[in-house]
Amino acid sequence: MKLLNPRIPPQSVHAVALKALVIDWAGTAVDYGSLAPVRTLQQVFAGVDLPLTEAEARRDMGLPKRDHIQRILALPRVCDAWTALRGRTPDEADIDELYQVFIPLQSSCLLQYSAVIPGVVEAVERFRRRGLKIGTTTGYTRELLDMLVRHSSKAGYIPDCNLSPGDVGAGRPSPFMIYEISVRLQVYPLAAIAKIGDTPSDIQEGLNAGVWSIGVAATGNMNGLPYDEFHALPVSEQEARLAAARAELAKAGAHYVVDSLADVDSVLGDIDARLRSAAESG
């Protein structure tokens, strides 16, 4: 497994093996293609006569949802269209207005899109056999996260600790959810943790926290297709989409990029080997 980002976490010399994984939700563990937030954002903006393209809705995926709406409104095309419709540029009140529409809409359709991704339950069982603790972070609110946790537990996916931006006062790309998971799971140093997610903001969250960052290309936002649609494509088109997704995650600074959570095992072995080497040489 190739190490893409040679800047390994600074505390690596003090860790001899991974102790915990921090896993994203939509597009990584549940919701193949990360459809729930995209479809809801498109519905919210369509409701104010400003339809979003798929690319506009996905561009800042992984951020807390109010921040995501703010970023969408700042896009030049969207801002210009809003100004043409309302006679002024969008402001904080407009962001709040759209966010208040978003939350109940997302709640109403969240579970429709949030099946556990194939291979995730089995992968987490393997991770636990390695002695790893499992935490999660998300851009969803605590209420939405609780819905996901209850729903996923029925399928056998039961992490040890689940945090939302509201639990720590800030979301991605800030590192605070990962810091709090380290405290709650009693895991240190930070180089003994790996963050796994499907968006650049997931990667940046991990880098900002000083942990290993692993990108997921096939199942999430960078691919953007549900399982059946993606696998119905010609192989050449599948590979083209995956190559583009892998490149974006590598550009964001991922230490490694895999296609799905089920493909992480070889990366974990490589990280453990690097940690042992760093400890021995340090």
Side-chain angles (χ1 to χ4, degrees):
M1 178 59 64
K2 182 180 179 182
L3 178 68
L4 301 175
N5 181 353
R7 298 182 64 181
I8 64 175
Q11 296 180 1
S12 294
V13 69
H14 301 297
V16 295
L18 286 172
K19 299 178 182 178
L21 303 179
V22 177
I23 302 172
D24 172 53
W25 281 88
T28 303
V30 302
D31 188 2
Y32 196 112
S34 196
L35 299 176
V38 171
R39 297 296 175 257
T40 304
L41 285 166
Q42 289 179 313
Q43 187 175 352
V44 168
F45 277 83
V48 292
D49 298 320
L50 210 169
L52 295 179
T53 67
E54 189 93 0
E56 288 167 339
R58 289 188 179 279
R59 182 177 180 274
D60 294 293
M61 193 63 67
L63 296 177
K65 297 313 172 193
R66 187 185 183 282
D67 295 350
H68 193 168
I69 290 169
Q70 183 176 27
R71 292 282 188 93
I72 291 172
L73 285 171
L75 293 172
R77 186 202 72 82
V78 177
C79 184
D80 290 347
W82 183 278
T83 303
L85 285 168
R86 299 207 174 187
R88 57 175 176 78
T89 57
D91 58 21
E92 291 294 317
D94 297 320
I95 298 167
D96 289 335
E97 174 189 332
L98 294 175
Y99 181 64
Q100 292 306 315
V101 174
F102 173 88
I103 293 299
L105 282 177
Q106 184 68 97
S107 179
S108 69
C109 73
L110 182 65
L111 300 186
Q112 173 186 345
Y113 293 104
S114 293
V116 174
I117 292 170
V120 164
V121 171
E122 295 80 3
V124 171
E125 289 173 354
R126 295 194 300 273
F127 303 156
R128 291 196 185 282
R129 288 198 292 271
R130 297 178 74 103
L132 297 172
K133 298 178 181 180
I134 308 297
T136 73
T137 66
T138 184
Y140 286 136
T141 63
R142 166 49 65 179
E143 292 75 17
L144 295 172
L145 175 58
D146 286 344
M147 289 177 63
L148 284 179
V149 170
R150 290 192 296 270
H151 184 67
S152 299
S153 68
K154 297 174 184 177
Y157 179 50
I158 309 174
D160 302 309
C161 178
N162 307 291
L163 293 183
S164 69
D167 296 323
V168 297
R172 301 164 184 154
S174 72
F176 304 119
M177 287 188 287
I178 293 178
Y179 290 166
E180 181 64 15
I181 285 174
S182 172
V183 172
R184 294 193 187 188
L185 296 185
Q186 295 291 281
V187 173
Y188 69 95
L190 289 166
I193 298 173
K195 169 66 201 289
I196 307 173
D198 66 300
T199 66
S201 63
D202 284 296
I203 302 304
Q204 292 156 11
E205 177 189 27
L207 297 177
N208 289 338
V211 307
W212 299 86
S213 279
I214 303 170
V216 174
T219 64
N221 185 65
M222 308 312 293
N223 175 17
L225 291 179
Y227 181 92
D228 290 343
E229 287 186 29
F230 176 66
H231 287 88
L233 295 174
V235 172
S236 59
E237 195 169 338
Q238 290 182 31
E239 284 302 318
R241 294 183 73 94
L242 288 177
R246 293 167 187 150
E248 285 297 312
L249 292 165
K251 181 180 177 182
H255 290 104
Y256 300 87
V257 176
V258 297
D259 287 344
S260 73
L261 197 65
D263 302 317
V264 167
D265 300 79
S266 62
V267 168
L268 303 183
D270 194 69
I271 292 174
D272 280 347
R274 292 180 186 279
L275 289 173
R276 286 194 298 271
S277 177
E280 291 167 0
S281 63

